[in-house]
Amino acid sequence: MNRGVRIIKELSRREIVRETLHAIAGSPCRCPAHSSGILNSSIPPRHRQTSSDSITTDYAYETFSPSVRIGKGATREVGMDFVNKGVKRVLLFTDKNLIKLLPFKATADALRADNVEFDVFSEVRIEPTEKSFREAIHRAQMRQYEGFLAVGGGSVMDTAKVARLFDAYPEKDFFDFVNKPVGKGEPIFKQLKPLICIPTTSGTGSETTGVAICQMESINAKTGFSNRALCANLAIVDPLNALSMPKNVAIYSGFDVLCHALESFTNIRYDNRSPKPLNPLHRPQHQGANPISDIWAVETLKIINDNFLGSIESLFDQESSAQMSFASLLAGIGFSSSGVHLCHAISFALSGSVKDYCPSDYSNDHPIIPHGLSVVMTAPAVFKEVALVAPDRCIQLAGLIGANTNNIKTEDAGRCLSDQLCKIMNRLEIPNGLKSLGFSPEDIPMLVEKTLPQERITRLYPNKVTSSLLERILLNSMTVYN
Ligand SMILES: NC(=O)c1ccc[n+]([C@@H]2O[C@H](COP(=O)([O-])OP(=O)(O)OC[C@H]3O[C@@H](n4cnc5c(N)ncnc54)[C@H](O)[C@@H]3O)[C@@H](O)[C@H]2O)c1
Ligand SMILES: [Fe+2]
């Protein structure tokens, strides 16, 4: 038996033993009952007796994703897609940078070729806010559209998702659908009009998810909308659209993909999560790591390992860039069912507390910490902590992103994964820690306070999330490498 097969068998054996012990001991309640709209549905539960009724943790998981079309040049089909859906008038969302570039031009040409009438909303804010979401909602309600189209990165796609939601619910208040506890997290029952997403970054995977994120001015942190109903009807992943990404956009969105996969793979397992829903409608969108999300995460990391550096460092390496578009999609499909954990939860506090950081390659009309940058900043410290409870998984992850894991002991798992992350961050010249984004140790209590309510995400961390855990991670992230 070769070493690789032996390691995989050993890992599976250890996981089975751990899970059996866990099931015998009963697991702590990590109640997700205050999260997504679906979970908090007012539909009365219908409970059927099953053999697993005495166990309080979940026993099943559910995956979903939109139709996905992948192909160089596939943008040209989008006019036909709307015609095929019987849609003749759409509102096209993009941003004021992209409207000048090829992805927008290719889309507009495709719509014109098939006589699909369209208006353009190019005022999408990069890293959207409650205010910018409201402006987009207002614009969508000014005219009757039959469908919606997003051409852009996560900022554009998330904005289109929310505008389309309130097109169906003009009578509702913005906070009716915002995640609890900031909003009411109400369920979405109406059929929304068709939405097609054409991503232009290789990062968020928003084209596959039922999530839309914005900066909430009222709490100075990010949160948003999370409900499967928000998911697009079709994602067109055309690698040609990502070729014009500026260097920092490609780097930071690539780190977003990397963290989606790392966090998805190390989430609490779906069958360690409580409570087991009494009605499948109440099973949350993000259910923890599961065998299907694991497949997407592992594949994503293999692609990243082979292509991330090449896609950045070798200009005109179209094949690596196309592979990164694919990785972004795979990671998105994976975390759509499993979710993400602490790097993302903390990133929402960091981005929401930006001081005067204005990265190059982003539209510089307001300070922002780009999403992928805010996420990866704490990753080395987060995974040192994760390794204390999931060392085998962390060793596997370190190997997948290029570390030599021969003879790595369990107690060195965190250091191994963290060092490998720092190596990649250093090579791509990521700013060195939270200090370089303008934060100091005095900001830690404020950042902890803003992270703790992100319960929708923190509950997926594989261990209890405490203030002292967050303080340690933030302190260790002030400077990332020497
Ligand atoms: N819905 C989800 O599941 C999800 C997941 C992760 C992140 N997000 C959100 O997505 C947002 C970040 O999105 P993003 O990282 O994709 O970037 P973005 O949409 O914020 O765009 C970043 C910059 O890159 C430019 N750009 C994008 N594509 C380009 C291209 N092909 N050529 C030239 N310039 C291009 C934009 O004009 C902008 O200046 C954040 O608000 C984040 O919270 C959403
Ligand atoms: Fe992300």
Side-chain angles (χ1 to χ4, degrees):
M1 200 186 327
N2 76 28
R3 189 169 185 280
V5 175
R6 247 192 354 259
I7 290 174
I8 289 168
K9 285 204 164 165
E10 176 59 19
L11 288 180
S12 337
R13 203 166 40 237
R14 282 190 223 165
E15 292 218 332
I16 291 165
V17 171
R18 189 174 330 115
E19 277 157 27
T20 312
L21 287 173
H22 192 92
I24 293 168
S27 45
C29 176
R30 301 178 56 84
C31 173
H34 307 97
S35 60
S36 79
I38 288 209
L39 191 65
N40 293 299
S41 159
S42 56
I43 290 182
R46 187 162 50 94
H47 186 194
R48 294 225 179 89
Q49 283 299 116
T50 69
S51 57
S52 53
D53 266 2
S54 57
I55 302 171
T56 58
T57 47
D58 208 343
Y59 66 97
Y61 60 95
E62 186 170 338
T63 68
F64 71 101
S65 90
S67 291
V68 175
R69 184 179 308 135
I70 304 152
K72 286 184 186 163
T75 306
R76 72 169 77 93
E77 297 183 357
V78 68
M80 284 180 270
D81 286 313
F82 279 118
V83 172
N84 293 342
K85 291 177 194 301
V87 171
K88 295 297 283 177
R89 185 165 67 227
V90 302
L91 181 56
L92 193 173
F93 291 85
T94 192
D95 66 49
K96 57 178 180 249
N97 174 34
L98 278 160
I99 197 169
K100 298 177 245 156
L101 302 177
L102 187 82
F104 176 82
K105 189 181 173 307
T107 306
D109 287 349
L111 294 175
R112 284 189 201 104
D114 283 286
N115 299 318
V116 177
E117 191 192 332
F118 63 98
D119 291 335
V120 180
F121 180 80
S122 60
E123 297 309 302
V124 165
R125 187 186 194 270
I126 297 311
E127 301 283 324
T129 59
E130 177 190 329
K131 180 166 171 279
S132 75
F133 269 3
R134 284 181 187 276
E135 284 162 7
I137 292 167
H138 177 68
R139 178 65 188 78
Q141 290 175 343
M142 278 166 60
R143 218 182 147 190
Q144 274 295 318
Y145 294 99
E146 296 168 359
F148 299 95
L149 174 57
V151 180
S155 298
V156 172
M157 292 187 278
D158 287 7
T159 302
K161 286 179 191 173
V162 172
R164 169 207 195 208
L165 169 65
F166 284 94
D167 164 78
Y169 284 99
E171 74 285 3
K172 286 285 193 183
D173 181 71
F174 187 81
F175 285 94
D176 287 347
F177 295 115
V178 169
N179 297 321
K180 287 187 173 187
V182 178
K184 293 187 190 161
E186 285 187 16
I188 298 169
F189 292 123
K190 286 191 193 171
Q191 183 73 41
L192 309 184
K193 288 177 187 163
L195 167 66
I196 299 180
C197 282
I198 305 184
T200 62
T201 57
S202 300
T204 67
S206 176
E207 68 276 15
T208 67
T209 71
V211 173
I213 304 292
C214 73
Q215 161 78 5
M216 294 286 172
E217 280 94 346
S218 47
I219 54 165
N220 259 338
K222 277 179 154 187
T223 182
F225 302 75
S226 175
N227 194 308
R228 284 175 194 144
L230 295 178
C231 204
N233 302 81
L234 172 66
I236 300 181
V237 179
D238 176 349
L240 298 182
N241 288 332
L243 290 178
S244 52
M245 270 192 296
K247 189 173 177 190
N248 278 334
V249 175
I251 293 175
Y252 300 155
S253 56
F255 275 114
D256 191 20
V257 184
L258 175 59
C259 289
H260 289 158
L262 296 178
E263 291 172 67
S264 172
F265 196 70
T266 49
N267 275 329
I268 187 172
R269 267 191 60 131
Y270 74 97
D271 51 0
N272 283 350
R273 198 199 73 251
S274 295
K276 178 177 56 178
L278 299 179
N279 178 321
L281 252 186
H282 299 176
R283 185 163 284 116
Q285 180 175 196
H286 297 141
Q287 304 148 66
N290 59 69
I292 293 183
S293 64
D294 284 356
I295 292 172
W296 298 126
V298 167
E299 274 314 304
T300 299
L301 293 171
K302 285 182 189 163
I303 297 171
I304 287 180
N305 192 43
D306 291 343
N307 296 283
F308 189 18
L309 295 177
S311 71
I312 306 292
E313 291 172 348
S314 322
L315 277 180
F316 311 116
D317 184 349
Q318 290 204 14
E319 194 40 45
S320 294
S321 174
Q323 288 297 323
M324 286 304 292
S325 296
F326 188 49
S328 164
L329 173 79
L330 294 192
I333 296 174
F335 86 83
S336 282
S337 71
S338 62
V340 285
H341 58 71
L342 276 193
C343 303
H344 273 75
I346 298 172
S347 87
F348 289 172
L350 292 171
S351 294
S353 313
V354 59
K355 296 178 180 178
D356 48 15
Y357 189 72
C358 287
S360 56
D361 291 348
Y362 285 74
S363 51
N364 269 340
D365 50 5
H366 52 271
I368 55 165
I369 305 176
H371 174 70
L373 179 59
S374 67
V375 168
V376 76
M377 217 32 123
T378 59
V382 165
F383 284 97
K384 272 191 182 154
E385 300 289 340
V386 171
L388 299 175
V389 288
D392 302 335
R393 289 216 146 205
C394 287
I395 293 174
Q396 196 180 344
L397 290 175
L400 285 165
I401 60 168
N404 179 353
T405 54
N406 285 341
N407 306 319
I408 289 290
K409 296 192 192 108
T410 300
E411 59 268 31
D412 293 327
R415 185 190 48 73
C416 179
L417 178 52
S418 170
D419 284 356
Q420 187 61 19
L421 278 168
C422 287
K423 209 162 138 186
I424 304 170
M425 290 164 75
N426 201 351
R427 177 140 164 204
L428 290 175
E429 297 172 2
I430 283 273
N432 190 2
L434 298 179
K435 277 190 180 158
S436 50
L437 303 184
F439 295 102
S440 71
E442 288 75 60
D443 295 313
I444 290 178
M446 172 273 293
L447 293 169
V448 170
E449 199 183 319
K450 287 183 181 175
T451 304
L452 283 172
Q454 303 281 350
E455 200 194 319
R456 182 180 70 85
I457 311 179
T458 56
R459 70 189 165 85
L460 295 169
Y461 184 69
N463 203 2
K464 196 167 161 45
V465 174
T466 59
S467 297
S468 57
L469 169 72
L470 297 174
E471 281 160 14
R472 204 163 52 241
I473 289 171
L474 286 160
L475 193 60
N476 290 337
S477 304
M478 283 293 152
T479 305
V480 180
Y481 32 80
N482 301 318

